[in-house]
Amino acid sequence: MSSIASPGKHKTGPATEDLMIEGMTCASCVGRVERVLKAIPGVSQASVNLATERASVQTDGSVPREALVQAIHKAGYEVSAPAAQELLIEGMTCASCVGRVERALKAVPGVQSASVNLATERASVQGSAAPAALLAAIEKAGYTASVIGSADSNEDQQAQRHADDLRVLKRDLWIAAALSLPVFLLEMGGHLIPAFHHFIAGTLGTQNSWLLQFVLATLVLVFPGRRFYQKGIPALLRAAPDMNSLVAVGTLAAYGYSLVATFLPRLLPAGTVNVYYEAAAVIVTLILLGRMLEAKAKGRTSEAIKRLLKLQAKTARVRRAGSVVELPLEQIASGDVIEVRPGERIAVDGEVVDGDSYVDESMISGEPVPVQKAPGSNVIGGTVNQTGALGVRATAVGGATVLAQIIRLVEQAQSAKLPIQALVDRITLVFVPIVMGLALLTFAVWLIFGPEPALTFGLVNAVAVLIIACPCAMGLATPTSIMVGTGRGAELGVLFRKGEALQLLKEAQVVAVDKTGTLTEGRPLLTDLQLADGFQRSEVLARVAAVEDRSEHPIARAIVTAAQQENLQLPAVDAFESVTGYGVRARVDGVRVEVGADRFMQKLGLDVAAFAAEAQRLGEEGKTPLYAALDGRLAAIIAVSDPIKSDTRAAIASLHALGLKVAMITGDNRRTAEAIARQLGIDEVVAEVLPEGKVDAVRRLKAEHGRLAYVGDGINDAPALAEADVGLAIGTGTDVAIEAADVVLMSGSLQGVPNAIALSKATMGNIRQNLFWAFVYNAALIPVAAGVLYPVWSILLSPVFAAGAMALSSVFVLGNALRLKRFRAPQMDA
């Protein structure tokens, strides 16, 4: 939309709104929509296109988008909701900020939902509100924001901003530390070492010492510490205090009390004339240290996206008008032919038109062995060409490439809010006001009931309460674990399309799997060829394949493919005949060849007893045997089947090791399904079902066992994937299945299922640890800071130690989340 404005410069002049309209069927509809739009005051022009189902509306800038939407709705049409708008938000420091920004966005007319993530510093907004209105609402709430463009440019922008913030934090930390150290030594040194106190009193003098501390502490608060007051005090005045407000009030209370003690001591009761410059200065220094460590850790949580972006080529050599030119990626169009030299990354998804090579596709499949590519082969952007030069015709560019879609999925999952976050959000909305109330209560209780000097005790303990409270830890507990967990999943080839799948997958009790393409290779192969005495494999296979080459049946194609893979020449065939219900026959190089079921052989008068043991084995494995006869002699028993993938057994074993039941739901015949289930150790089989039958089977299994995860790859699996609590699509499957799934397994291997479940368990465990720490920290230390231990053990918590504990609490949460980067999946070494 052309109404996008930059932060702080929202549009007040002419603006254009683009709307997608549903329900128009003819020219009359177009005229009706145009009339209702032009009737709105402030609309200067409205143009509606029936073919594109789009309306372009020019206004004077005073017409909200919602007014246009309502007018179209009253005319009897619907406006399609645009894709979620992604905003980058600056200035959020704690969970209270998240709640405040969400409330501001939800109050904008046209916003259906808004989700803000502290770890990614992003907001995702659904609805028809214009970006300018969203930016204005965020600015009014006390923050700045910008509309996110392409993933690449946005990541560059965000990375640069993080680098700038980190540089400023480091600079301010060093300045604050250098100025705070003398203050700390002058004041605390005298308390800890009596001789040092006497030395200062005898040389510098107590009043001069206080004046020096005043100068140094003022410099700390005015320069490195000004960020807390610039954000915290306006938030307090808006009756929406945040963590900055806690720091601002706490440090200003200590600093203000010290000012009175230094310059107007007569206003204070006897015995209460003390200064706390060192508390104000050191609190600022320690919180700056915590912010710096937090910023460094936050940068590491988003490394997965950065690594994915590095896989994108920046330029490519494109064949244009008989020559080859190097163009930036955004200028490459679908249909362009690009040249890829050995060792280069392939720039776009495409089809090989010339050249032969091997391509490293490990970023998609996880398989380290390069894949051979020849004309007609598909290649994926971001993969690495190994040995030969390739010409590739682009079939998908920009945001349509597989890599771009992976990046988009990871970003969406990282920005998601889990159901467990709802409770945290409700608590953090009222957390800071409650803390400020507790600080006031602490001050009042100590002032009324505390020992002398009660005023001093009240002030110090109230400041400690304000400083030790840490809404940061609560705000970061969930999103940082999600960021690192989903990023690690992407590295393992497990893409969470929906963040909530992380929580639901951990709760799965049963895993239901489709057979064809999930447990098996998804295509029939010649698996068995047992010869009778006196026959050679090459002779029998070539003649049988020559006959089957006349048939389009999948079993026939598998036999022909096997002969071609063995480089056998297929001899000429004549007199081909299909014997309905029995098999096929033909003459091959003058030899009569008959291929079919056992009843065909019996009809020919041939005894298949010689292969009885082999036939029984094949039947137990779920394979249907075929027989071949040459010139009236039984020559071979043949079996074609969809072979089980090499890693399926290990994957099923891993699922059992995780305590899960495994069920197979398939449209195949029961005998074959049960044979495969026996080989793999599958617990339950539902066979011979249609797609709607799969949905019924999923519902029954959910009722019997609880939460269910379904794994499939085909169009017929889409309904079951949608019905399951969590749907996992094999990444090599159809787009329909992938769209219906919550999790995509990019490797195409069932190994991804136990990996995904184990990662879900690890991530949710990490979130619980973080939330436990965040809540227990605040629940335990706020009372200690208030002085509840003083009546029994005479223990009080210094505001300086409170600041250190607060700074370290959010760093602990981030550090714990980063442990997920070391997660090792149960199938990584399979």
Side-chain angles (χ1 to χ4, degrees), residues 512-525 641-648 651 664-668 672 676 680 694 710-717 721 728-734 737-738 745-753:
V513 294
D514 171 52
K515 180 181 77 70
T516 305
T518 303
L519 298 176
T520 65
E521 295 289 353
R523 60 185 186 278
L525 297 174
S641 72
D642 185 3
I644 295 171
K645 291 180 180 178
S646 60
D647 50 19
T648 297
M664 178 169 66
I665 304 176
T666 178
D668 209 342
T672 301
I676 289 175
L680 298 176
K694 289 187 177 184
Y710 183 86
V711 191
D713 74 325
I715 290 174
N716 62 337
D717 292 314
L721 286 165
L728 298 97
I730 300 294
T732 52
T734 63
I738 290 172
L745 308 175
M746 291 303 296
S747 66
S749 166
L750 197 66
Q751 289 183 357
V753 180

Side-chain angles (χ1 to χ4, degrees), residues 13 22 30 110 121 125 186 198 214 300 347 360 385 403 440 462 562 613 617 652 683 694 730 736 805 819:
E22 297 177 3
V30 171
E121 298 177 328
V125 185
L186 284 171
H198 295 309
F214 157 71
R300 291 177 59 201
D360 179 0
N385 184 27
L403 182 57
L440 283 173
R617 178 185 68 80
I652 299 294
D683 304 299
K694 289 187 177 184
I730 300 294
V736 175
R819 290 193 308 113

Side-chain angles (χ1 to χ4, degrees), residues 22 34 83 140 176 197 214 303 350 505 545 668 679 730 762 776:
E22 297 177 3
E34 285 185 348
K140 189 176 179 182
H197 172 74
F214 157 71
E303 283 180 356
L505 199 54
D668 209 342
Q679 293 178 57
I730 300 294
V776 167

